[in-house]
Amino acid sequence: MDDTPNQLPSALPALRTEAADAGFTLSSEDRTGSFLAALAAGRPGGRILELGTGVGEGAAWLLSGMDPASRLTTVELDATVQAVARKQLGADPRVTFVSGDGGTWLEDFDGAPFDLVFADTWPGKFTHLDRALELVAPGGTYLIDDLLPQPGRPKDHEASVERLLGELDAREDFRCVRLAWASGLLMAVRTA
């Protein structure tokens, strides 16, 4: 079986061209993106949070799976990088872009919980984990990637991943599944 995605978001080629021009190399890979689209499709009218917009490839995948009533909030520290996503995806009324520190945003957010939280940056994954998990609605999904060793990761990345996995596995309010696939994923579903 070939697990190469066959339905790509229409904005992906333009996002990739601009990412290459900007030297941005941290976008989610296609299998993760396809998984995001499927998760978003399973949440009609869903509230979705992405921590770490980057140039918008993850957001493009999420939007491609979302129905017209769903809403995506995507948070990015680097406004210059996020400008690419705003340019390519900003006309879509389902997406709200937030430029700022993800940790600060998590601390300050006081709205309704989300049906899907994708933490693709340090805040919400390696920092502010408890707060990110508080924002997952009952029955909702929390997804993280980049858990497998890869070139260019900080020296302490593997130790951070092991600590994170231990914390998530110890929680009784989430059911976790590890996926040694793509860049290394963990999906956790909040028990009702």
Side-chain angles (χ1 to χ4, degrees):
M1 177 176 74
D2 181 3
D3 64 353
T4 304
N6 56 11
Q7 294 178 312
L8 302 177
S10 60
L12 215 51
L15 289 168
R16 288 186 173 158
T17 297
E18 291 203 44
D21 291 347
F24 186 83
T25 61
L26 301 174
S27 294
S28 296
E29 60 100 47
D30 285 352
R31 291 177 297 166
T32 300
S34 182
F35 192 51
L36 286 170
L39 289 173
R43 296 295 183 170
R47 291 177 36 81
I48 299 170
L49 172 63
E50 177 187 39
L51 297 165
T53 311
V55 296
E57 289 191 37
W61 282 103
L62 288 163
L63 288 165
S64 75
M66 290 166 46
D67 73 355
S70 295
R71 297 293 175 259
L72 169 64
T73 300
T74 183
V75 183
E76 172 61 45
L77 176 63
D78 186 339
T80 303
V81 171
Q82 192 185 60
V84 174
R86 288 177 183 265
K87 176 183 170 187
Q88 296 297 328
L89 305 172
D92 191 319
R94 300 172 299 165
V95 64
T96 300
F97 293 97
V98 177
S99 292
D101 180 81
T104 302
W105 187 89
L106 285 166
E107 292 167 2
D108 294 343
F109 180 75
D110 65 352
F114 294 89
D115 301 300
L116 171 59
V117 173
F118 175 46
D120 192 20
T121 190
W122 284 73
K125 186 180 347 184
F126 298 118
T127 69
H128 302 84
L129 175 63
D130 288 338
R131 179 62 181 139
L133 294 175
E134 286 174 10
L135 295 180
V136 178
T141 301
Y142 169 81
L143 182 73
I144 52 178
D145 66 349
D146 301 329
L147 300 176
L148 292 174
Q150 296 187 17
R153 298 275 185 235
K155 188 174 9 176
D156 64 344
H157 184 258
E158 286 187 54
S160 296
V161 167
E162 288 306 314
R163 179 188 51 76
L164 172 65
L165 295 177
E167 288 179 31
L168 288 166
D169 285 341
R171 294 190 68 110
E172 295 183 7
D173 54 342
F174 281 85
R175 182 69 184 235
C176 298
V177 59
R178 298 178 187 191
L179 303 165
W181 172 78
S183 65
L185 308 175
L186 180 137
M187 184 176 77
V189 175
R190 182 177 209 113
T191 54

